[in-house]
Amino acid sequence: MSNIVAIVGRPNVGKSTLFNRLTESRKAIVDAIPGVTRDRHYGKAEWNGYEFSIIDTGGYVHGSGDVFEGEIRKQVELAIDEASVILFVVDVTTGITGLDETVAQFLRKAKKKVFLVVNKVDNNERIAQASEFYSLGYNEIYCLSSLSGSGTGEILDVVVKEFDTTELQPEEKLPKFAIVGKPNVGKSSLLNALLGNERNIVTPIAGTTRDSTNTRYKHYGHDFILVDTAGIRKKAKVKEDLEFYSVMRSVRAIEDCDVCLLLLDATEGIESQDLNIFHLAERNRKGIVIVVNKWDLVEKETQTTKEYEEFIKNRIAPFRDVPIIFTSTLTKQRILKAIEMAEEVYKNRTKSIATRKLNDVMLPLIENYPPPSIKGKYVKIKYITQLPTYAPTFAFFCNLPQYVNEPYKRFLENKLRENFDFTGVPIQVFMRKK
């Protein structure tokens, strides 16, 4: 991760549009309202055979008392610390503002390679207007339009010259764990507690995190990608466009990950919206670990943990084979246990069982408890195999697949779980004609 480019500047100069252009994605939310980007947002880009990371930051506002702007300022400073090259973005349509001068002054202290990028230059008249930005003290300015992409090649040519001359390497396949849950249950706090720094903005205001952010975690023998997502709310509560996009991004994060760490608030229990997220992950055949956060705030008796666990399992039934970890991000209690369990679930999800072993174990069980006869017809299951899919899927070959009912499929699923350990992983069972 030595080649890192940070995009910084005052609010609303088009930093996120440039980020999307350079990463060839639509990861960063773009809106005309200033202050949309709150967390550092990471993406990958490739140019002339070199791969590098790009960080999109919130608009830098110096000396503001606003809670979000103060946190954004801290995030920008962290991004600059991490970066090897900085793209300082300004807006040709507004000219130089006091905030641009403040950012320029701040960047001079950073002692990093800074390129001044004049954005929204999409005609010859604006090229002439861009010359006023030389007064910020830079020998060279780079005119581009992040919306159309013109001029981005020129800036990338000079940026990659500053990098370590390492040829593009194929990205290794790492497990992806998504931290999901409704707003304000402590998702970003969990990420910060794991990483030991303020990677994401944390405030008591629900909906602080609007983008999904990826972070590689490589400590204590663990190596995986953590995805922190915006809180998912009920559709009726998605009032502003921004929150709608955030919800979509969280749904996409669930779709793209391997294991979901579903955070619950211990003081509120498991609510209908938590169940919606659980079933969304289940429908997408993702591994699931339920993490009950704020456990330090709950008054406990001898059986409190067991009773709470049983209550959750009854609510998520029939898929009850899910690990439940009780944590506190504030005291860092059992947060590493949650990660270890996520890794176990990932192994279960990628597990492949030999066909012979599968038949040796399952066929005697089926013989002792065969499918019930329907209309005088008897179902005979002859053969079982695991299908080559991304999540555990099994095909049971029989003479009359249409007569096997759902309760019997659940029985087969439970026997697979008992004998082969698929804790935390949804299983699909299909009946096929032999």
Side-chain angles (χ1 to χ4, degrees):
M1 292 286 286
S2 58
N3 299 334
I4 299 176
V5 177
I7 303 173
V8 301
R10 65 177 172 82
N12 225 27
V13 291
K15 296 182 297 299
S16 293
T17 310
L18 179 59
F19 173 88
N20 287 343
R21 170 66 57 183
L22 297 182
T23 56
E24 298 178 337
S25 71
R26 294 178 65 85
K27 283 184 180 177
I29 300 173
V30 177
D31 201 286
I33 305 166
V36 170
T37 305
R38 290 173 175 173
D39 290 325
R40 284 172 292 162
H41 197 68
Y42 287 79
K44 286 279 186 185
E46 186 266 325
W47 189 254
N48 288 349
Y50 300 108
E51 189 178 72
F52 53 98
S53 294
I54 298 182
I55 311 175
D56 175 29
T57 63
Y60 184 89
V61 181
H62 182 70
S64 167
D66 179 87
V67 61
F68 282 129
E69 289 182 351
E71 290 291 338
I72 287 168
R73 193 162 59 249
K74 282 161 66 179
Q75 294 299 310
V76 173
E77 288 164 5
L78 282 166
I80 290 168
D81 284 344
E82 289 182 40
S84 43
V85 177
I86 296 161
L87 298 182
F88 171 23
V89 183
V90 291
D91 182 351
V92 72
T93 62
T94 58
I96 296 175
T97 67
L99 269 176
D100 289 324
E101 289 172 347
T102 304
V103 176
Q105 194 176 352
F106 176 74
L107 290 175
R108 273 193 281 276
K109 298 173 188 171
K111 294 178 182 173
K112 296 282 176 81
K113 185 65 181 179
V114 180
F115 293 103
L116 179 60
V117 175
V118 185
N119 193 21
K120 307 181 187 179
V121 180
D122 43 24
N123 57 47
N124 290 332
E125 186 186 338
R126 288 183 175 179
I127 291 172
Q129 291 170 0
S131 58
E132 72 165 295
F133 287 96
Y134 280 110
S135 64
L136 289 172
Y138 292 89
N139 295 328
E140 191 75 53
I141 63 170
Y142 297 87
C143 298
L144 57 82
S145 168
S146 51
L147 202 59
S148 68
S150 66
T152 50
E154 287 82 350
I155 186 65
L156 286 173
D157 283 340
V158 294
V159 164
V160 295
K161 286 177 184 172
E162 300 296 321
F163 292 156
D164 297 336
T165 54
T166 310
E167 288 300 316
L168 181 62
Q169 298 292 324
E171 191 176 344
E172 57 185 306
K173 174 74 176 103
L174 292 172
K176 268 190 170 182
F177 302 157
I179 303 170
V180 297
K182 64 187 184 195
N184 221 27
V185 291
K187 297 182 298 298
S188 295
S189 297
L190 174 59
L191 190 67
N192 290 343
L194 285 167
L195 298 175
N197 63 25
E198 294 191 10
R199 165 67 174 80
N200 276 10
I201 297 171
V202 178
T203 70
I205 302 166
T208 299
T209 304
R210 281 176 166 170
D211 286 330
S212 303
T213 51
N214 286 18
T215 310
R216 184 167 178 177
Y217 184 92
K218 198 174 182 182
H219 302 287
Y220 312 113
H222 306 292
D223 194 5
F224 53 85
I225 303 292
L226 268 173
V227 184
D228 177 37
T229 61
I232 302 174
R233 297 194 182 190
K234 290 180 183 175
K235 284 181 184 175
K237 290 187 178 177
V238 180
K239 300 288 186 193
E240 55 175 312
D241 288 345
L242 290 177
E243 197 167 312
F244 169 76
Y245 291 129
S246 298
V247 170
M248 294 308 296
R249 211 150 262 118
S250 298
V251 171
R252 223 170 285 139
I254 289 172
E255 290 171 351
D256 292 343
C257 76
D258 297 304
V259 179
C260 294
L261 291 161
L262 171 57
L263 253 69
L264 308 181
D265 188 328
T267 60
E268 294 176 0
I270 183 163
E271 298 183 330
S272 59
Q273 188 58 6
D274 300 311
L275 287 172
N276 289 341
I277 300 167
F278 176 85
H279 293 311
L280 179 66
E282 185 187 5
R283 278 198 305 274
N284 280 283
R285 306 289 161 196
K286 305 301 177 184
I288 305 171
V289 177
I290 294 176
V291 180
V292 183
N293 190 27
K294 308 182 186 178
W295 191 239
D296 53 317
L297 302 179
V298 174
E299 288 184 22
K300 299 168 197 69
E301 294 175 10
T302 314
Q303 296 293 316
T304 304
T305 307
K306 272 190 177 178
E307 287 169 3
Y308 205 108
E309 199 170 304
E310 193 57 31
F311 172 71
I312 290 172
K313 288 191 174 183
N314 288 338
R315 292 293 305 275
I316 63 175
F319 178 30
R320 292 168 53 96
D321 188 17
V322 178
I324 300 170
I325 309 294
F326 296 87
T327 68
S328 165
T329 54
L330 200 63
T331 63
K332 299 192 178 182
Q333 182 185 27
R334 283 189 290 277
I335 57 170
L336 283 176
K337 176 72 176 169
I339 293 305
E340 286 165 10
M341 190 54 71
E343 288 181 324
E344 282 297 312
V345 169
Y346 176 76
K347 283 177 193 167
N348 292 344
R349 188 170 181 263
T350 53
K351 187 185 290 181
S352 180
I353 307 209
T355 303
R356 184 175 176 178
K357 189 178 180 185
L358 202 54
N359 284 273
D360 287 347
V361 171
M362 293 300 292
L363 287 178
L365 293 170
I366 292 166
E367 202 174 321
N368 290 334
Y369 189 80
S373 63
I374 297 176
K375 298 177 186 175
K377 297 184 186 290
Y378 292 90
V379 179
K380 290 182 180 175
I381 297 171
K382 303 285 182 70
Y383 178 75
I384 309 133
T385 187
Q386 184 174 356
L387 301 178
T389 54
Y390 64 89
T393 307
F394 299 89
F396 288 74
F397 291 90
C398 59
N399 57 336
L400 298 165
Q402 68 273 27
Y403 288 125
V404 181
N405 56 24
E406 282 304 315
Y408 193 77
K409 285 182 186 176
R410 274 203 294 276
F411 163 77
L412 294 174
E413 180 187 327
N414 289 337
K415 290 301 171 189
L416 285 166
R417 290 185 183 284
E418 281 174 27
N419 290 281
F420 301 107
D421 185 17
F422 285 106
T423 299
V425 185
I427 293 176
Q428 279 186 302
V429 170
F430 292 107
M431 309 310 293
R432 292 282 182 264
K433 179 80 175 170
K434 174 68 175 167

